Amino acid sequence: AGLRVLGAADDVTTIDVSGVVVATGGRRVVVVGLEDIVVVDTPDAVLVTTRSRAQDVKAVVDALKAQGRADLT
């Protein structure tokens, strides 16, 4: 599959992508020329990672908590 959108598909514009997952948070998300990535847009942060590393998000959350950034977790 070339593109999977979680949320409002109207908020996503892509050109020449494959294997892309985008979770929208109300802003326009544009992805150009990328393969096998995950984009998660939330009101307070944007996460971009490869699909193969998407499970590592827990490590990011742990690092943010260690930095005192509970607002981003």
Side-chain angles (χ1 to χ4, degrees), residues 1-65:
L3 173 66
R4 181 173 177 206
V5 177
L6 308 174
D10 290 346
D11 288 342
V12 179
T13 301
T14 62
I15 299 173
D16 194 25
V17 301
S18 68
V20 172
V21 177
V22 179
T24 63
R27 291 185 288 188
R28 166 77 47 198
V29 175
V30 180
V31 182
V32 179
L34 296 176
E35 298 178 359
D36 297 324
I37 65 158
V38 176
V39 179
V40 180
D41 176 39
T42 68
D44 54 0
V46 176
L47 169 72
V48 180
T49 187
T50 61
R51 289 178 68 170
S52 64
R53 300 285 308 263
Q55 297 302 318
D56 293 340
V57 170
K58 183 181 180 324
V60 172
V61 171
D62 291 344
L64 289 169
K65 285 181 180 177

